[in-house]
Amino acid sequence: MTDDDETYPGWDAIDAALAPLYPGVDPLHYGTVIKWRIGGPDPLDGVSVYRRDDHWHLVSYGMSELYRKEWEDPEQSGWGFEFTFRTARAPGDEDPPLWAVSLLQNLARYVFNSGNVFGPGHHLNLNGPISLARPDTAIQAAAFAEDPELGTIDTPHGRVVFLQVVGLTLEEYAVIERWDTGRLLDVLLPRLPLLVTDLDRGDLTGEPGIAAAIEEGVRRDGSSTGALFVSDVGWQLDGGVTTVRFGANAATRLAGVLGARLAYDRGLVVDGPDGAVLFRTGDAYGVAEVGDGAIEVVLPAGAAVALAETLRPVAGTYTVPGAPGLVVRIVRSQIRDADGNVVAEIG
């Protein structure tokens, strides 16, 4: 660890939080040669990797203010968190998971470039395997939770949450959208102690006890997802007819989340590159433009149920009982590979 400053109070605070967990242990540390602030490609100044009996524990340095206080918020250090990640370790495995170091750098790069901040309860579709070296893994999404051992600390520069990245299957990710990140992780915790990411595991949502807990939770709580981004959404107003368009590949996903939002009197924003549609419940059906390429569709309870039932991955044009003048158009979706070639069609 080197920097132009003579002291490293933020870095020292992270080390102090780790010391009780790993007394006398010198981790494997992967530092950044050319720092982000002087034009380097990696936002994190380093990642420490600790060897556990059954997993590797990674901790980042660089999402918080490691050296001096530069951000205006006195209560929070930098972005307010440092990443952690736990990935399964086979007996006798002495090779640290460098792919996991790259994962944390990529997540940090996204935050630094976009300004979008992660926090406990957030979730992310990775659009592919979590490790490029393991194209066969079912782990293709991630959730974020407070690290169960490190929690949150106060540093001389403000608060820092140790934010653990938790690898999930796409089926588990879909449950989060219908329900809630924290509640799903609580259900999975007995099968994922310390929320360790295991690239060899399969989906857990089909296990009887877990499946029952999920369905009970969705019925009890509904969905905490207030907005969905989909690749194909649009709308058109023509006299008294409102046509909303969705891609077939998102139809089932939309149906699940809409059903778990509108039934609990919660709205849902469906956003995309060409427009947005806000659905909410009300006493009577109605449609209004709300600016910025968006419309608001108000649905009475019966129409809300009918809309969720209408959304299926089958191309066509459908009316919605209880919503006179509302037309749903499902269009065929093309799935492309990394080179832009169409590899499948849905709808």
Side-chain angles (χ1 to χ4, degrees):
M1 173 184 60
T2 61
D3 196 79
D4 295 337
D5 296 2
E6 294 182 355
T7 60
Y8 318 100
W11 195 300
D12 291 342
I14 297 171
D15 285 346
L18 288 161
L21 191 59
Y22 300 108
V25 175
D26 291 325
L28 299 166
H29 187 79
Y30 296 88
T32 300
V33 177
I34 303 176
K35 298 188 185 302
W36 179 271
R37 68 176 70 89
I38 58 174
D42 296 324
L44 300 177
D45 282 10
V47 176
S48 285
V49 182
Y50 293 86
R51 183 186 294 109
R52 302 279 283 258
D53 288 341
D54 63 349
H55 71 273
W56 302 92
H57 190 190
L58 287 75
V59 181
S60 76
Y61 292 75
M63 302 304 297
S64 60
E65 294 167 284
L66 302 175
Y67 310 110
R68 58 187 177 274
K69 184 64 182 174
E70 297 177 336
W71 293 52
E72 294 182 359
D73 188 349
E75 302 298 323
Q76 176 176 290
S77 178
W79 297 101
F81 64 90
E82 290 290 350
F83 288 115
T84 76
F85 184 60
R86 300 171 190 262
T87 184
R89 172 178 174 260
D93 183 6
E94 301 299 322
D95 296 325
L98 297 184
W99 66 266
V101 176
S102 296
L103 171 70
L104 298 189
Q105 287 285 12
N106 287 335
L107 291 172
R109 194 173 294 112
Y110 168 80
V111 174
F112 273 71
N113 285 330
S114 70
N116 296 327
V117 180
F118 294 120
H122 291 186
H123 46 84
L124 182 68
N125 187 328
L126 299 174
N127 296 314
I130 194 171
S131 169
L132 295 179
R134 284 292 307 275
D136 60 325
T137 183
I139 306 301
Q140 299 192 29
F144 298 86
E146 190 175 60
D147 187 293
E149 292 183 320
L150 295 174
T152 299
I153 62 171
D154 291 319
T155 78
H157 297 153
R159 182 184 64 257
V160 174
V161 178
F162 287 101
L163 188 64
Q164 185 165 321
V165 184
V166 184
L168 300 174
T169 68
L170 292 179
E171 294 85 354
E172 292 156 1
Y173 180 77
V175 170
I176 282 179
E177 292 187 326
R178 290 196 300 122
W179 191 19
D180 178 79
T181 301
R183 291 185 171 98
L184 175 65
L185 293 181
D186 286 343
V187 168
L188 298 181
L189 190 58
R191 293 282 276 106
L192 303 177
L194 294 178
L195 298 175
V196 171
T197 296
D198 184 353
L199 301 191
D200 293 326
R201 78 170 179 87
D203 173 52
L204 299 176
T205 61
E207 294 190 1
I210 291 176
I214 289 171
E215 292 311 310
E216 178 187 355
V218 173
R219 285 194 301 269
R220 181 186 65 238
D221 306 319
S223 170
S224 63
T225 300
L228 288 178
F229 185 89
V230 299
S231 60
D232 192 350
V233 57
W235 55 268
Q236 182 178 1
L237 303 182
D238 185 7
V241 177
T242 300
T243 301
V244 293
R245 183 193 76 246
F246 302 113
N249 65 328
T252 301
R253 176 185 175 209
L254 287 172
V257 180
L258 267 172
R261 292 287 296 182
L262 299 183
Y264 296 82
D265 198 24
R266 302 169 191 162
L268 177 70
V269 177
V270 184
D271 198 4
D274 299 322
V277 181
L278 165 61
F279 293 100
R280 68 175 180 85
T281 54
D283 293 333
Y285 168 72
V287 177
E289 293 188 60
V290 292
D292 295 326
I295 60 170
E296 180 183 69
V297 178
V298 181
L299 298 166
V305 173
L307 174 62
E309 293 174 346
T310 299
L311 292 168
R312 296 292 180 265
V314 179
T317 301
Y318 308 92
T319 58
V320 180
L326 179 63
V327 173
V328 175
R329 182 170 167 245
I330 304 297
V331 298
R332 182 174 288 109
S333 299
Q334 293 183 331
I335 308 302
R336 299 178 182 272
D337 61 19
D339 298 321
N341 302 310
V342 177
V343 295
E345 289 193 346
I346 300 174

